[in-house]
Amino acid sequence: QSTDVTILDSSVQGNVADTYYTAKTFSQYNVNQDLQLFYREVTSLRRKENDVIDGKIRVAAFLPKYIRGMDASDDDAYDDNEAVAIYDYDILLQSIDEAEAATF
């Protein structure tokens, strides 16, 4: 399979409260399927005690309007600004020493 991914937009925001946010928009083109999809990814990270960082990532997937023409349904309510799928992830980052890293 061959897939091309392009970042279309990216923004970063941080503040003194040890909070960090990113928002990215991607275009993904699958060469084999001749299919283009769009994704919006929003990440929030927060530093906690002992240099532990927890956060969340939300990814929303969008189909372009031309997919509607290929679809057999006659749904006039199709909106390419509405996500067709949403994925949520929780993340936890923590520092480890060299000995602990060697166990992986």
PDB file of all heavy atoms in Angstrom, residues 7-32:
ATOM      1  N   ILE A   7       0.478  17.591   6.058  1.00  0.00           N
ATOM      2  CA  ILE A   7      -0.069  18.453   7.115  1.00  0.00           C
ATOM      3  C   ILE A   7      -0.566  19.724   6.441  1.00  0.00           C
ATOM      4  O   ILE A   7       0.193  20.423   5.773  1.00  0.00           O
ATOM      5  CB  ILE A   7       0.975  18.784   8.186  1.00  0.00           C
ATOM      6  CG1 ILE A   7       1.374  17.513   8.948  1.00  0.00           C
ATOM      7  CG2 ILE A   7       0.439  19.840   9.152  1.00  0.00           C
ATOM      8  CD1 ILE A   7       2.413  17.738  10.028  1.00  0.00           C
ATOM      9  N   LEU A   8      -1.841  20.013   6.612  1.00  0.00           N
ATOM     10  CA  LEU A   8      -2.446  21.186   5.995  1.00  0.00           C
ATOM     11  C   LEU A   8      -2.431  22.393   6.921  1.00  0.00           C
ATOM     12  O   LEU A   8      -2.385  23.533   6.464  1.00  0.00           O
ATOM     13  CB  LEU A   8      -3.887  20.884   5.587  1.00  0.00           C
ATOM     14  CG  LEU A   8      -4.071  19.714   4.624  1.00  0.00           C
ATOM     15  CD1 LEU A   8      -5.544  19.419   4.423  1.00  0.00           C
ATOM     16  CD2 LEU A   8      -3.390  20.007   3.301  1.00  0.00           C
ATOM     17  N   ASP A   9      -2.495  22.143   8.234  1.00  0.00           N
ATOM     18  CA  ASP A   9      -2.568  23.234   9.206  1.00  0.00           C
ATOM     19  C   ASP A   9      -2.092  22.714  10.551  1.00  0.00           C
ATOM     20  O   ASP A   9      -2.320  21.545  10.882  1.00  0.00           O
ATOM     21  CB  ASP A   9      -4.014  23.745   9.315  1.00  0.00           C
ATOM     22  CG  ASP A   9      -4.147  24.910  10.275  1.00  0.00           C
ATOM     23  OD1 ASP A   9      -3.317  25.835  10.196  1.00  0.00           O
ATOM     24  OD2 ASP A   9      -5.072  24.886  11.100  1.00  0.00           O
ATOM     25  N   SER A  10      -1.448  23.572  11.325  1.00  0.00           N
ATOM     26  CA  SER A  10      -0.972  23.163  12.642  1.00  0.00           C
ATOM     27  C   SER A  10      -0.911  24.376  13.550  1.00  0.00           C
ATOM     28  O   SER A  10      -0.498  25.457  13.122  1.00  0.00           O
ATOM     29  CB  SER A  10       0.421  22.526  12.519  1.00  0.00           C
ATOM     30  OG  SER A  10       0.913  22.171  13.776  1.00  0.00           O
ATOM     31  N   SER A  11      -1.335  24.207  14.798  1.00  0.00           N
ATOM     32  CA  SER A  11      -1.211  25.280  15.774  1.00  0.00           C
ATOM     33  C   SER A  11      -0.836  24.685  17.125  1.00  0.00           C
ATOM     34  O   SER A  11      -1.181  23.548  17.445  1.00  0.00           O
ATOM     35  CB  SER A  11      -2.504  26.085  15.883  1.00  0.00           C
ATOM     36  OG  SER A  11      -3.539  25.280  16.391  1.00  0.00           O
ATOM     37  N   VAL A  12      -0.117  25.468  17.920  1.00  0.00           N
ATOM     38  CA  VAL A  12       0.380  25.037  19.227  1.00  0.00           C
ATOM     39  C   VAL A  12       0.085  26.132  20.233  1.00  0.00           C
ATOM     40  O   VAL A  12       0.230  27.318  19.937  1.00  0.00           O
ATOM     41  CB  VAL A  12       1.903  24.778  19.176  1.00  0.00           C
ATOM     42  CG1 VAL A  12       2.428  24.403  20.547  1.00  0.00           C
ATOM     43  CG2 VAL A  12       2.248  23.718  18.155  1.00  0.00           C
ATOM     44  N   GLN A  13      -0.328  25.726  21.431  1.00  0.00           N
ATOM     45  CA  GLN A  13      -0.569  26.687  22.499  1.00  0.00           C
ATOM     46  C   GLN A  13      -0.105  26.079  23.806  1.00  0.00           C
ATOM     47  O   GLN A  13      -0.399  24.929  24.117  1.00  0.00           O
ATOM     48  CB  GLN A  13      -2.056  27.039  22.583  1.00  0.00           C
ATOM     49  CG  GLN A  13      -2.384  28.008  23.678  1.00  0.00           C
ATOM     50  CD  GLN A  13      -3.867  28.303  23.752  1.00  0.00           C
ATOM     51  OE1 GLN A  13      -4.647  27.850  22.928  1.00  0.00           O
ATOM     52  NE2 GLN A  13      -4.261  29.041  24.760  1.00  0.00           N
ATOM     53  N   GLY A  14       0.634  26.830  24.586  1.00  0.00           N
ATOM     54  CA  GLY A  14       1.069  26.391  25.904  1.00  0.00           C
ATOM     55  C   GLY A  14       0.882  27.527  26.878  1.00  0.00           C
ATOM     56  O   GLY A  14       0.731  28.680  26.489  1.00  0.00           O
ATOM     57  N   ASN A  15       0.868  27.201  28.160  1.00  0.00           N
ATOM     58  CA  ASN A  15       0.744  28.268  29.153  1.00  0.00           C
ATOM     59  C   ASN A  15       1.572  27.914  30.390  1.00  0.00           C
ATOM     60  O   ASN A  15       2.142  26.826  30.491  1.00  0.00           O
ATOM     61  CB  ASN A  15      -0.717  28.554  29.495  1.00  0.00           C
ATOM     62  CG  ASN A  15      -1.405  27.374  30.135  1.00  0.00           C
ATOM     63  OD1 ASN A  15      -0.784  26.535  30.773  1.00  0.00           O
ATOM     64  ND2 ASN A  15      -2.708  27.292  29.962  1.00  0.00           N
ATOM     65  N   VAL A  16       1.595  28.810  31.344  1.00  0.00           N
ATOM     66  CA  VAL A  16       2.421  28.621  32.534  1.00  0.00           C
ATOM     67  C   VAL A  16       1.878  27.560  33.477  1.00  0.00           C
ATOM     68  O   VAL A  16       2.559  27.143  34.396  1.00  0.00           O
ATOM     69  CB  VAL A  16       2.599  29.958  33.298  1.00  0.00           C
ATOM     70  CG1 VAL A  16       3.417  30.923  32.473  1.00  0.00           C
ATOM     71  CG2 VAL A  16       1.257  30.540  33.671  1.00  0.00           C
ATOM     72  N   ALA A  17       0.699  27.097  33.262  1.00  0.00           N
ATOM     73  CA  ALA A  17       0.092  26.079  34.126  1.00  0.00           C
ATOM     74  C   ALA A  17       0.483  24.670  33.681  1.00  0.00           C
ATOM     75  O   ALA A  17      -0.195  23.709  33.986  1.00  0.00           O
ATOM     76  CB  ALA A  17      -1.427  26.229  34.136  1.00  0.00           C
ATOM     77  N   ASP A  18       1.600  24.563  32.938  1.00  0.00           N
ATOM     78  CA  ASP A  18       2.093  23.273  32.463  1.00  0.00           C
ATOM     79  C   ASP A  18       1.067  22.531  31.621  1.00  0.00           C
ATOM     80  O   ASP A  18       0.903  21.323  31.727  1.00  0.00           O
ATOM     81  CB  ASP A  18       2.553  22.397  33.636  1.00  0.00           C
ATOM     82  CG  ASP A  18       3.816  22.928  34.285  1.00  0.00           C
ATOM     83  OD1 ASP A  18       4.623  23.546  33.561  1.00  0.00           O
ATOM     84  OD2 ASP A  18       4.001  22.724  35.485  1.00  0.00           O
ATOM     85  N   THR A  19       0.379  23.264  30.775  1.00  0.00           N
ATOM     86  CA  THR A  19      -0.599  22.684  29.865  1.00  0.00           C
ATOM     87  C   THR A  19      -0.187  23.022  28.440  1.00  0.00           C
ATOM     88  O   THR A  19       0.280  24.124  28.162  1.00  0.00           O
ATOM     89  CB  THR A  19      -2.009  23.238  30.150  1.00  0.00           C
ATOM     90  OG1 THR A  19      -2.323  23.006  31.519  1.00  0.00           O
ATOM     91  CG2 THR A  19      -3.050  22.571  29.288  1.00  0.00           C
ATOM     92  N   TYR A  20      -0.362  22.061  27.539  1.00  0.00           N
ATOM     93  CA  TYR A  20       0.096  22.193  26.157  1.00  0.00           C
ATOM     94  C   TYR A  20      -0.989  21.639  25.243  1.00  0.00           C
ATOM     95  O   TYR A  20      -1.517  20.558  25.490  1.00  0.00           O
ATOM     96  CB  TYR A  20       1.394  21.390  26.027  1.00  0.00           C
ATOM     97  CG  TYR A  20       1.989  21.311  24.671  1.00  0.00           C
ATOM     98  CD1 TYR A  20       2.782  22.336  24.172  1.00  0.00           C
ATOM     99  CD2 TYR A  20       1.796  20.191  23.867  1.00  0.00           C
ATOM    100  CE1 TYR A  20       3.363  22.244  22.926  1.00  0.00           C
ATOM    101  CE2 TYR A  20       2.372  20.099  22.614  1.00  0.00           C
ATOM    102  CZ  TYR A  20       3.153  21.129  22.152  1.00  0.00           C
ATOM    103  OH  TYR A  20       3.720  21.037  20.917  1.00  0.00           O
ATOM    104  N   TYR A  21      -1.312  22.391  24.196  1.00  0.00           N
ATOM    105  CA  TYR A  21      -2.342  21.978  23.240  1.00  0.00           C
ATOM    106  C   TYR A  21      -1.794  22.057  21.817  1.00  0.00           C
ATOM    107  O   TYR A  21      -1.048  22.962  21.491  1.00  0.00           O
ATOM    108  CB  TYR A  21      -3.563  22.907  23.304  1.00  0.00           C
ATOM    109  CG  TYR A  21      -4.222  22.975  24.639  1.00  0.00           C
ATOM    110  CD1 TYR A  21      -3.932  24.003  25.526  1.00  0.00           C
ATOM    111  CD2 TYR A  21      -5.147  22.019  25.019  1.00  0.00           C
ATOM    112  CE1 TYR A  21      -4.536  24.072  26.765  1.00  0.00           C
ATOM    113  CE2 TYR A  21      -5.756  22.077  26.257  1.00  0.00           C
ATOM    114  CZ  TYR A  21      -5.454  23.112  27.126  1.00  0.00           C
ATOM    115  OH  TYR A  21      -6.049  23.177  28.340  1.00  0.00           O
ATOM    116  N   THR A  22      -2.182  21.102  20.988  1.00  0.00           N
ATOM    117  CA  THR A  22      -1.889  21.183  19.563  1.00  0.00           C
ATOM    118  C   THR A  22      -3.154  20.847  18.782  1.00  0.00           C
ATOM    119  O   THR A  22      -4.007  20.094  19.252  1.00  0.00           O
ATOM    120  CB  THR A  22      -0.777  20.214  19.118  1.00  0.00           C
ATOM    121  OG1 THR A  22      -1.221  18.872  19.267  1.00  0.00           O
ATOM    122  CG2 THR A  22       0.496  20.425  19.889  1.00  0.00           C
ATOM    123  N   ALA A  23      -3.239  21.407  17.604  1.00  0.00           N
ATOM    124  CA  ALA A  23      -4.318  21.076  16.672  1.00  0.00           C
ATOM    125  C   ALA A  23      -3.682  20.961  15.294  1.00  0.00           C
ATOM    126  O   ALA A  23      -2.944  21.855  14.870  1.00  0.00           O
ATOM    127  CB  ALA A  23      -5.402  22.143  16.686  1.00  0.00           C
ATOM    128  N   LYS A  24      -3.930  19.852  14.617  1.00  0.00           N
ATOM    129  CA  LYS A  24      -3.334  19.607  13.300  1.00  0.00           C
ATOM    130  C   LYS A  24      -4.410  19.100  12.355  1.00  0.00           C
ATOM    131  O   LYS A  24      -5.301  18.358  12.761  1.00  0.00           O
ATOM    132  CB  LYS A  24      -2.232  18.559  13.389  1.00  0.00           C
ATOM    133  CG  LYS A  24      -1.101  18.921  14.303  1.00  0.00           C
ATOM    134  CD  LYS A  24      -0.139  17.759  14.435  1.00  0.00           C
ATOM    135  CE  LYS A  24       0.824  18.007  15.570  1.00  0.00           C
ATOM    136  NZ  LYS A  24       1.493  16.801  15.999  1.00  0.00           N
ATOM    137  N   THR A  25      -4.301  19.486  11.104  1.00  0.00           N
ATOM    138  CA  THR A  25      -5.187  18.993  10.064  1.00  0.00           C
ATOM    139  C   THR A  25      -4.333  18.298   9.002  1.00  0.00           C
ATOM    140  O   THR A  25      -3.333  18.858   8.551  1.00  0.00           O
ATOM    141  CB  THR A  25      -5.976  20.147   9.419  1.00  0.00           C
ATOM    142  OG1 THR A  25      -6.677  20.854  10.445  1.00  0.00           O
ATOM    143  CG2 THR A  25      -6.964  19.625   8.395  1.00  0.00           C
ATOM    144  N   PHE A  26      -4.740  17.080   8.648  1.00  0.00           N
ATOM    145  CA  PHE A  26      -3.995  16.268   7.698  1.00  0.00           C
ATOM    146  C   PHE A  26      -4.867  15.916   6.497  1.00  0.00           C
ATOM    147  O   PHE A  26      -6.077  15.748   6.631  1.00  0.00           O
ATOM    148  CB  PHE A  26      -3.579  14.922   8.325  1.00  0.00           C
ATOM    149  CG  PHE A  26      -2.688  15.034   9.510  1.00  0.00           C
ATOM    150  CD1 PHE A  26      -3.215  15.092  10.784  1.00  0.00           C
ATOM    151  CD2 PHE A  26      -1.314  15.053   9.358  1.00  0.00           C
ATOM    152  CE1 PHE A  26      -2.392  15.172  11.893  1.00  0.00           C
ATOM    153  CE2 PHE A  26      -0.486  15.131  10.459  1.00  0.00           C
ATOM    154  CZ  PHE A  26      -1.018  15.197  11.732  1.00  0.00           C
ATOM    155  N   SER A  27      -4.220  15.763   5.367  1.00  0.00           N
ATOM    156  CA  SER A  27      -4.841  15.167   4.192  1.00  0.00           C
ATOM    157  C   SER A  27      -4.112  13.855   3.931  1.00  0.00           C
ATOM    158  O   SER A  27      -2.883  13.817   3.926  1.00  0.00           O
ATOM    159  CB  SER A  27      -4.688  16.083   2.977  1.00  0.00           C
ATOM    160  OG  SER A  27      -5.057  15.397   1.805  1.00  0.00           O
ATOM    161  N   GLN A  28      -4.863  12.792   3.746  1.00  0.00           N
ATOM    162  CA  GLN A  28      -4.271  11.480   3.468  1.00  0.00           C
ATOM    163  C   GLN A  28      -4.821  10.972   2.149  1.00  0.00           C
ATOM    164  O   GLN A  28      -6.030  10.911   1.948  1.00  0.00           O
ATOM    165  CB  GLN A  28      -4.615  10.499   4.583  1.00  0.00           C
ATOM    166  CG  GLN A  28      -4.154   9.082   4.298  1.00  0.00           C
ATOM    167  CD  GLN A  28      -4.589   8.127   5.385  1.00  0.00           C
ATOM    168  OE1 GLN A  28      -4.507   8.424   6.551  1.00  0.00           O
ATOM    169  NE2 GLN A  28      -5.070   6.973   4.975  1.00  0.00           N
ATOM    170  N   TYR A  29      -3.905  10.615   1.257  1.00  0.00           N
ATOM    171  CA  TYR A  29      -4.317  10.084  -0.039  1.00  0.00           C
ATOM    172  C   TYR A  29      -3.808   8.658  -0.169  1.00  0.00           C
ATOM    173  O   TYR A  29      -2.609   8.403  -0.080  1.00  0.00           O
ATOM    174  CB  TYR A  29      -3.767  10.948  -1.185  1.00  0.00           C
ATOM    175  CG  TYR A  29      -4.127  10.414  -2.537  1.00  0.00           C
ATOM    176  CD1 TYR A  29      -5.442  10.450  -2.981  1.00  0.00           C
ATOM    177  CD2 TYR A  29      -3.163   9.857  -3.359  1.00  0.00           C
ATOM    178  CE1 TYR A  29      -5.789   9.943  -4.226  1.00  0.00           C
ATOM    179  CE2 TYR A  29      -3.495   9.354  -4.612  1.00  0.00           C
ATOM    180  CZ  TYR A  29      -4.812   9.397  -5.027  1.00  0.00           C
ATOM    181  OH  TYR A  29      -5.143   8.893  -6.258  1.00  0.00           O
ATOM    182  N   ASN A  30      -4.732   7.715  -0.351  1.00  0.00           N
ATOM    183  CA  ASN A  30      -4.384   6.320  -0.558  1.00  0.00           C
ATOM    184  C   ASN A  30      -4.313   6.074  -2.059  1.00  0.00           C
ATOM    185  O   ASN A  30      -5.329   6.098  -2.749  1.00  0.00           O
ATOM    186  CB  ASN A  30      -5.420   5.405   0.093  1.00  0.00           C
ATOM    187  CG  ASN A  30      -5.034   3.952  -0.007  1.00  0.00           C
ATOM    188  OD1 ASN A  30      -4.769   3.445  -1.088  1.00  0.00           O
ATOM    189  ND2 ASN A  30      -5.019   3.278   1.124  1.00  0.00           N
ATOM    190  N   VAL A  31      -3.100   5.856  -2.542  1.00  0.00           N
ATOM    191  CA  VAL A  31      -2.858   5.718  -3.978  1.00  0.00           C
ATOM    192  C   VAL A  31      -3.585   4.506  -4.547  1.00  0.00           C
ATOM    193  O   VAL A  31      -4.199   4.575  -5.612  1.00  0.00           O
ATOM    194  CB  VAL A  31      -1.340   5.628  -4.259  1.00  0.00           C
ATOM    195  CG1 VAL A  31      -1.072   5.371  -5.733  1.00  0.00           C
ATOM    196  CG2 VAL A  31      -0.641   6.893  -3.781  1.00  0.00           C
ATOM    197  N   ASN A  32      -3.545   3.379  -3.843  1.00  0.00           N
ATOM    198  CA  ASN A  32      -4.151   2.142  -4.351  1.00  0.00           C
ATOM    199  C   ASN A  32      -5.671   2.237  -4.474  1.00  0.00           C
ATOM    200  O   ASN A  32      -6.262   1.646  -5.368  1.00  0.00           O
ATOM    201  CB  ASN A  32      -3.779   0.961  -3.458  1.00  0.00           C
ATOM    202  CG  ASN A  32      -2.284   0.692  -3.466  1.00  0.00           C
ATOM    203  OD1 ASN A  32      -1.569   1.146  -4.355  1.00  0.00           O
ATOM    204  ND2 ASN A  32      -1.814  -0.030  -2.483  1.00  0.00           N
TER     205      ASN A  32
END
